[in-house]
Amino acid sequence: MLKVDDNNNMVIKESEYNKLANKLDLEKVRVNDKEAAIIPRYDGIKNFKYMNELKELTNYKVENNNLKVVSVVDKKILITGLFKSQIIISDNLYNKLEKDSENKIVTVKGYEFKENSKSDKAILQIKENKLFSNNNENDIFYLFSK
């Protein structure tokens, strides 16, 4: 993801989102250079009002780009409330924004554990395989279980 301002607004390129969507069994998104799709920070029935407010947005500004909001995806991809906003943009626009030295790449790695009883062992394996390292200040890690 790319942090595009000091307010924790993040963008993700379409191709990266669609890789996640494929793994998480979510609907894929298609946007052009003048369009955007919103990823909610919260989802579920109890956040019905929030989701409806997102669906009312028609435009979203990313730096000097006024983008038409073409959709709001049904489910969040990160833990609740991690960033202020998460916007899917075209790969082409993302690559242009990435060249701007003001923007900061943030790598987010997530691990899902289906059983809490197995999470300790799995975390040790992740650490041993150096998949869970805090050497890069731009990395964010999160763990959750069902």
Side-chain angles (χ1 to χ4, degrees):
M1 299 184 99
L2 195 61
K3 184 177 177 184
V4 291
D5 61 30
D6 293 333
N7 295 323
N8 267 340
N9 291 308
M10 307 293 285
V11 295
I12 184 171
K13 63 171 90 175
E14 176 188 323
S15 61
E16 283 299 312
Y17 175 81
N18 286 333
K19 284 181 198 175
L20 282 170
N22 191 46
K23 288 182 182 187
L24 299 173
D25 199 29
L26 300 173
E27 191 172 327
K28 291 184 180 180
V29 170
R30 299 281 177 247
V31 291
N32 65 37
D33 292 349
K34 302 220 181 270
E35 296 175 333
I38 300 174
I39 304 168
R41 294 170 57 197
Y42 317 98
D43 58 16
I45 293 172
K46 63 183 173 182
N47 293 301
F48 184 74
K49 181 181 176 193
Y50 165 75
M51 292 295 285
N52 281 339
E53 288 171 358
L54 287 182
K55 290 176 183 177
E56 290 177 9
L57 293 175
T58 57
N59 293 300
Y60 194 87
K61 187 168 183 169
V62 177
E63 291 191 351
N64 295 327
N65 302 281
N66 287 315
L67 305 174
K68 179 182 178 186
V69 175
V70 293
S71 68
V72 176
V73 298
D74 291 335
K75 296 189 180 200
K76 62 184 171 45
I77 59 169
L78 300 175
I79 59 173
T80 297
L82 187 58
F83 298 115
K84 183 176 179 183
S85 65
Q86 301 159 46
I87 307 299
I88 304 164
I89 61 174
S90 72
D91 287 17
N92 186 46
L93 179 56
Y94 182 97
N95 293 336
K96 286 179 186 175
L97 294 173
E98 185 178 29
K99 290 179 184 176
D100 183 351
S101 61
E102 296 292 317
N103 297 319
K104 180 178 176 182
I105 296 172
V106 178
T107 303
V108 181
K109 299 177 184 176
Y111 302 92
E112 180 177 12
F113 301 103
K114 299 206 184 291
E115 294 181 40
N116 284 334
S117 62
K118 296 180 182 179
S119 62
D120 289 345
K121 185 177 178 183
I123 291 170
L124 287 174
Q125 286 179 320
I126 291 168
K127 200 168 187 176
E128 286 171 9
N129 293 328
K130 299 186 183 318
L131 297 174
F132 192 69
S133 162
N134 61 0
N135 294 337
N136 185 344
E137 67 184 51
N138 295 332
D139 282 354
I140 293 176
F141 295 90
Y142 66 95
L143 303 166
F144 65 95
S145 62
K146 290 185 175 181

